[in-house]
Amino acid sequence: GIISSLLILGLILGAPALAQNAPAAKYIKERVTFKSDGYALAGFLYRPDSPGVFPALIWNHGSEKNPTPQFDEVANVFVPAGYVVFAPVRRGHVGSEGPYIETELQQAGRANRNQLQVRMLEGVQLDDQLAGLAYLRSLPYVDQARLAVAGCSYGGIQTLLGAERGAGYKAAVPMSPAALSWNANPLLQDRLVAAVQKIDIPVFLIQPPRDASLEPSRVLGREFQRLGKPYTGKIYPTDIPDDVQTHCFGGIRRGSRVWADDVLSFLARSLGR
């Protein structure tokens, strides 16, 4: 349930949705608190300022200590297209109780870091995502049959692990999943290949051309295709602006304009809109 909430009526300005020149649309933004493993976690909820039942998307943030500045921009993409967006803040990040994953990995030392990283991402971090999903599914204006999941970097990993778990998702959009960790952690590579084997929903895996590693697209894409899974992959061309060619498209707040139309089109096809 909601422990605390703050209702804010915001304006979406210049939203990079399907209708680029549409007038600014209104959304309702709400900060909520939900529980995961006894920790009080923050979440940011965005919904259209109109009555109805809407498809919904969980947005998984990355490893950054304070991911909250990106959430409004994510809402700017999806809410004008008719989605509810919920961005849970996993434990230890700003606004949420519990230990911060990057601190725990630093303390683990080099010998133990890789194994701990995989264990935490598939364990307590996934628990936090799924607790956020349970909160989202409790809302009366969310269409239970049209749930999607997306996110970048660690959030891309979480998107794949959430898709593997099932949990009611109908489509997944991992962005730059494990690109920063790929070369240093073969255990994580193996774990994500194993996740592909269990995923049975449509996946759209995207990366910018100068990401830290493009192997996630190549290796995971080959595995999806080998298994005949419903999969689309895209490494964006180098003719996109320089400032959005790097990891997570130069940052979600800046780079969402690059992928917005592609992702919205994929979700419309996958969710039957």
Side-chain angles (χ1 to χ4, degrees):
I2 298 174
I3 297 174
S4 65
S5 64
L6 177 63
L7 284 173
I8 305 169
L9 189 65
L11 287 178
I12 297 176
L13 300 174
L18 290 172
Q20 290 284 349
N21 298 316
K26 293 180 179 180
Y27 63 71
I28 294 173
K29 175 182 178 181
E30 189 176 359
R31 184 192 186 279
V32 306
T33 306
F34 63 100
K35 285 293 185 72
S36 177
D37 294 341
Y39 293 118
L41 306 184
F44 290 82
L45 179 67
Y46 302 81
R47 59 186 171 94
D49 186 24
S50 59
V53 177
F54 304 97
L57 178 130
I58 287 279
W59 176 263
N60 290 308
H61 62 74
S63 62
E64 58 272 58
K65 178 68 172 176
N66 181 15
T68 57
Q70 72 190 242
F71 297 156
D72 284 1
E73 187 58 36
V74 172
N76 288 351
V77 172
F78 294 105
V79 180
Y83 291 86
V84 174
V85 173
F86 187 51
V89 180
R90 298 189 300 276
R91 66 189 65 190
H93 295 261
V94 169
S96 291
E97 295 177 349
Y100 176 44
I101 183 172
E102 292 301 301
T103 300
E104 294 200 284
L105 292 177
Q106 290 167 11
Q107 294 171 348
R110 185 173 299 176
N112 299 316
R113 178 186 172 94
N114 285 357
Q115 189 174 26
L116 180 62
Q117 185 181 41
V118 172
R119 192 164 73 241
M120 293 183 70
L121 287 168
E122 71 177 0
V124 295
Q125 295 278 304
L126 180 58
D127 289 345
D128 293 350
Q129 177 195 164
L130 296 179
L133 175 61
Y135 172 82
L136 180 66
R137 297 186 74 169
S138 74
L139 302 173
Y141 47 82
V142 167
D143 185 342
Q144 302 290 323
R146 292 190 291 168
L147 298 171
V149 60
C152 198
S153 198
Y154 267 17
I157 296 171
Q158 282 301 310
T159 296
L160 288 167
L161 295 174
E164 176 195 27
R165 182 66 65 91
Y169 292 130
K170 303 299 184 185
V173 185
M175 307 177 187
S176 299
L180 295 177
S181 309
W182 190 268
N183 294 331
N185 193 343
L187 296 176
L188 183 57
Q189 298 174 26
D190 292 345
R191 180 63 185 86
L192 294 180
V193 169
V196 168
Q197 295 168 4
K198 294 183 179 178
I199 293 173
D200 60 3
I201 61 174
V203 172
F204 182 33
L205 196 162
I206 62 175
Q207 291 194 255
R210 290 169 51 217
D211 212 338
S213 171
L214 295 175
E215 287 302 289
S217 283
R218 294 169 180 147
V219 173
L220 300 179
R222 280 197 301 266
E223 186 67 3
F224 274 115
Q225 291 167 338
R226 183 183 74 83
L227 296 169
K229 304 279 189 172
Y231 170 79
T232 307
K234 182 171 183 177
I235 297 172
Y236 280 75
T238 54
D239 61 4
I240 63 174
D242 287 347
D243 66 340
V244 292
Q245 290 194 25
T246 55
H247 188 59
C248 288
F249 298 88
I252 297 303
R253 294 162 75 187
R254 179 167 47 201
S256 61
R257 68 182 184 272
V258 175
W259 49 258
D261 286 353
D262 288 339
V263 169
L264 289 170
S265 295
F266 165 76
L267 291 178
R269 292 192 305 271
S270 301
L271 301 179
R273 301 197 59 218

